[in-house]
């Protein structure tokens, strides 16, 4: 049995340590404060597409966090100023060559930043971490990507148009049980992402409102878009950022709607995080936040083709 | 009825779809940053051998196939069926040509094979990784020629065509890797 052995090379372990040092020095120079928040919380993420691990002991149930978003926003509400965190997070069922259910996230929040300013900072950090990025960043709106690839406007295309597009472009996927968002996700992940250049960062911005999560939204040309971005190297998604929604009512509405969505999908609903919502009643400055998967950054640094090769003890041998 | 959730998908998992048994060749988990995850899967129909791509929404279920892998000894073919036997029980199983089409040229009586049974019917047979077979036809050996890498074609007792080094003679028994069809050594 060799399952006791680490999955990484010493070189990869050195690269990980170096990456963490670089990140800390990057934020130190910018006076962004490193913080810690709980990994085991009383409330869980309501996002219907993310599943939390549940820990039960006697009468207590706690949930492993899937990102430190809620408690970090509680810190922002208490005047913490700019903050970042490097922590382990857990997402049930996310397993594959780019996914390990336990992984390392870098999450940071910048006050008085627009998401466009934050995109610049993400690019600055990633270029410092990954010298192999030789070409200029590309920034596309979600809409442009769909218009260019399918001549389809993702914000207003009919359900039938999306079904036809999926049937024509993705082999062997039953469209029957797919929602509007599922169809868009399928097209993006199967048909659009594979075209992204692997020598540069690609930013996708301005998502359909159905994919806003906790991002703020704005009206444009008669439809609403979510002020969100994702960053990729090649087709590898590295991170996800928002213009943060700071309004209490809308945050509450989002969590509630996500729980409704959970019911529709016959998933357990989650207790709303009242501490988070209470914090959202405070006046919070406009801010932008982003989370980056550090194991994937390390995959780029070490030229490994699976996430399991950059994690000392991945899921199957953890 | 047993089912598998997409989170249990991995290579070699066997399931039923549209009445046919399939095995997973390769499973890829695809998920946009936020949103619906998919399992993009390469699957092989165990009856026809055809490989196709299929995509499931993560969280969907497939019906588990009642498929067993059993060690069996190959006996003989009667032109229509290829007969195998379980060595412990002497129970015999007749495999149709589709089940052995890929490995027919590695079938040697008394040799052990892994036979995949679905509802009791053989679907496929896997030869041992290494097999020893007699050369039934090849050009005469060239003594003293030990040039590295120089080979000549040869036919073995099961009918397979392989390449052997120049010094190997007709009638000799050689060891072959059935996965690559390569000559390994004299037996």
């Amino acid at each position: 049995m060799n399952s006791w052995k680490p999955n990484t090379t010493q070189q990869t372990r050195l690269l990980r340590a170096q990456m963490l040092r670089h990140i800390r020095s990057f934020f130190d120079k910018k006076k962004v404060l490193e913080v810690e928040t709980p990994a085991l919380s009383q409330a869980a993420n309501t996002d219907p597409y993310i599943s939390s691990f549940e820990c039960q002991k006697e009468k207590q149930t706690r949930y492993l966090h899937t990102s430190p978003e809620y408690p970090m926003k509680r810190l922002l509400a208490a005047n913490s100023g700019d903050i970042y965190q490097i922590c382990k997070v857990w997402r049930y069922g996310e397993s594959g060559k780019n996914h390990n259910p336990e992984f390392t996230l870098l999450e940071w929040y910048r006050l008085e930043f627009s998401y466009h300013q934050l995109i610049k900072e993400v690019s600055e950090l990633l270029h410092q971490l990954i010298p192999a990025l030789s070409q200029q960043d590309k920034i596309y709106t979600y809409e442009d990507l769909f218009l260019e690839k399918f001549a389809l406007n993702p914000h207003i295309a009919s359900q039938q148009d999306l079904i036809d597009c999926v049937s024509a472009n993705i082999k062997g996927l039953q469209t029957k049980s797919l929602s509007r968002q599922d169809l868009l996700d399928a097209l993006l992940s199967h048909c659009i992402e594979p075209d992204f250049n692997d020598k540069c960062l690609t930013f996708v911005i301005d998502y359909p409102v159905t994919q806003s999560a906790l991002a703020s939204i704005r009206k444009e040309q008669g439809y609403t878009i979510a002020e969100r971005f994702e960053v990729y190297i090649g087709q590898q998604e590295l991170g996800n950022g928002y213009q943060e929604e700071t309004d209490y009512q809308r945050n509450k509405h989002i969590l509630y709607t996500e729980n409704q969505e959970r019911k529709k999908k016959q998933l357990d609903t989650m207790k709303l995080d009242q501490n988070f919502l209470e914090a959202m009643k405070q006046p919070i400055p406009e801010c932008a936040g982003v989370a980056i998967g550090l194991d994937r950054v390390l995959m780029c640094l070490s030229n490994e083709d699976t996430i399991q090769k950059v994690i000392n003890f991945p899921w199957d041998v953890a | 009825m047993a089912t598998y959730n997409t989170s249990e998908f991995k290579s070699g998992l066997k399931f039923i779809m549209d009445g046919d048994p399939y095995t997973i060749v390769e499973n890829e988990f695809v998920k946009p940053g936020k949103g619906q995850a998919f399992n993009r899967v390469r699957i092989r129909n165990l009856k026809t051998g055809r490989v196709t791509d299929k995509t499931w929404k993560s969280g969907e279920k497939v019906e588990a196939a009642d498929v067993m892998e059993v060690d069996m000894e190959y006996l003989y073919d009667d032109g229509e069926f290829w007969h195998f036997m379980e060595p412990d029980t002497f129970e015999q199983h007749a495999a149709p040509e589709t089940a052995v089409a890929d490995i027919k040229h590695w079938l040697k009586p008394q040799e052990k094979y892994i036979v995949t049974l679905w509802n009791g019917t053989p679907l496929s047979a896997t030869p041992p990784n290494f097999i020893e077979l007699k050369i039934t036809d090849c050009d005469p050996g060239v003594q003293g020629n030990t040039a590295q890498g120089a080979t000549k074609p040869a036919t073995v007792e099961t009918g397979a065509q392989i390449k052997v080094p120049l010094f190997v003679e007709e009638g000799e028994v050689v060891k072959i890797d059935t996965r690559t069809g390569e000559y390994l050594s004299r037996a």
Side-chain angles (χ1 to χ4, degrees), chain A residues 122-147:
Chain A
V122 169
S123 166
E124 187 188 340
L125 173 66
L126 290 175
H127 277 276
Q128 284 190 21
L129 293 176
I130 312 169
L133 285 172
S134 55
Q135 293 180 20
Q136 247 194 335
D137 300 350
K138 297 206 162 48
I139 301 185
Y140 305 104
T141 66
Y142 194 93
E143 180 179 322
D144 284 345
L145 290 171
F146 278 78
L147 284 174

Side-chain angles (χ1 to χ4, degrees), chain A residues 47 49 94-95 97 99 171-173 177-178 181-182 185-186 189-190 230 237 240 242 265, chain B residues 7 26-40 53-57 60:
Chain A
D47 188 327
Y49 292 104
E94 299 193 6
S95 222
K97 68 186 173 62
H99 293 82
K171 266 190 281 176
L173 176 62
S177 63
L178 298 182
Q181 180 176 338
D182 296 345
D185 285 337
S189 56
H190 286 67
E230 295 219 6
E237 191 242 349
N240 184 21
Y242 306 143
K265 291 175 167 289
Chain B
S7 66
E26 207 181 317
N27 169 44
E28 195 184 344
F29 179 77
V30 184
K31 188 179 197 296
K34 296 257 174 192
Q36 180 62 51
F38 298 93
N39 286 68
R40 199 150 53 178
D53 292 324
K54 175 120 178 96
T55 302
W56 275 274
K57 195 162 96 164
E60 287 184 330

